[in-house]
Amino acid sequence: MLAPQLLKDIKQTVTWALCEDLGATNKTELKNAQDITAELIPAENTAVANVISRDDCIICGVEWVNQVFQQLDAIYGFSGEQATKITWFVNDGQAVKANTTLFELSGNARLLLTGERTALNFLQSLSGTATITSEYVECLAGTDTKLLDTRKTVPGLRSAQKYAVTCGGGVNHRIGLFDAFLIKENHIAACGSITQAISTAKTNHPNKTVEVEVESVDELTQALNAQADIIMLDNFTPEMIEQAVSLRDSISQGKTKLEVSGNMTLATMENHAKAGVDFISVGALTKHIKAVDLSMRFV
């Protein structure tokens, strides 16, 4: 589900980012945009630069970096031997130590400087998401519980951040509002009941996963009896989670999957996983971004 959207989004988000940095409103205007600081350098000058990580991290964002310099080459008319050359020493999903050289750039000096910040913004942010995801995944080692992301993403970067989660070892929840149901409190109130909401969902889209969020053991029982595919336990205590697992096994014989959500931290999630839930979803993976520290230096 993610891959086709991702391929389109990489090009589009890179164009938007370049427009933002160069003061253009669309791709056509980029051809006449100016980096007034880079223009201090003679137009014919070439350079070689290395990009280094200053933090231990999980890498994510290779194709965004590539796309930045491909688009700039096209804008400024560099091709063939004049085109920017990128030599990568790492791959997406790879763990690296601080002070590792990630890639080398060579090409027109102005162009390298114009693309530097846009390229590093993508790489540092997506690597930050991949890195924190890997830390959460490590907490689940030895359990059968999978780590999920959420829709709490930076606008315009949904597919990019969800890809970063997979690079860190996590699993994507639904991509958007179109590929799976997530029935919450307001949906239930508007439909009249949990049972009615689930029944209508299965009738309208029988091939879509139906998940419902519950806030009490009573609501959990209703969702189990209505045969929800997944039930999200919102802010359940550890004792309530153990009771939920027991009820699930009794009523649905384990067919219904259980997801825990709400204020998950590295310190608390291990105990939730040991209770026997199938998924733990963490909004912080994509909304609380701590970018990796990167730097580019001319050789």
Side-chain angles (χ1 to χ4, degrees), residues 110-126:
R110 286 186 178 183
L111 188 147
L112 297 189
L113 291 168
T114 297
E116 173 188 1
R117 180 42 49 203
T118 298
L120 296 193
N121 280 348
F122 282 114
L123 188 61
Q124 69 187 19
S125 300
L126 297 181

Side-chain angles (χ1 to χ4, degrees), residues 274-286:
K274 287 179 178 178
V277 298
D278 302 281
F279 307 109
I280 293 178
S281 55
V282 180
L285 302 179
T286 51

Side-chain angles (χ1 to χ4, degrees), residues 85-150:
K85 294 177 177 59
I86 307 178
T87 303
W88 283 95
F89 307 117
V90 297
N91 301 306
D92 281 347
Q94 183 175 334
V96 303
K97 294 294 186 181
N99 299 316
T100 297
T101 299
L102 307 180
F103 63 95
E104 180 185 86
L105 287 162
S106 61
N108 180 268
R110 286 186 178 183
L111 188 147
L112 297 189
L113 291 168
T114 297
E116 173 188 1
R117 180 42 49 203
T118 298
L120 296 193
N121 280 348
F122 282 114
L123 188 61
Q124 69 187 19
S125 300
L126 297 181
S127 294
T129 291
T131 301
I132 190 62
T133 299
S134 71
E135 293 177 16
Y136 276 89
V137 168
E138 182 67 25
C139 282
L140 298 177
T143 75
D144 293 326
T145 305
K146 292 182 173 61
L147 178 70
L148 299 179
D149 54 22
T150 71

Side-chain angles (χ1 to χ4, degrees), residues 1-8:
M1 184 66 72
L2 180 63
Q5 186 70 31
L6 188 64
L7 294 174
K8 180 183 73 173

Side-chain angles (χ1 to χ4, degrees), residues 1-44:
M1 184 66 72
L2 180 63
Q5 186 70 31
L6 188 64
L7 294 174
K8 180 183 73 173
D9 286 353
I10 292 173
K11 292 182 180 180
Q12 189 170 345
T13 54
V14 165
T15 299
W16 286 342
L18 288 172
C19 284
E20 181 178 60
D21 216 18
L22 288 164
T25 59
N26 56 54
K27 195 169 184 176
T28 301
E29 288 186 8
L30 278 172
K31 294 183 178 180
N32 298 315
Q34 291 180 293
D35 175 351
I36 60 174
T37 310
E39 288 177 0
L40 298 174
I41 301 165
E44 68 278 5

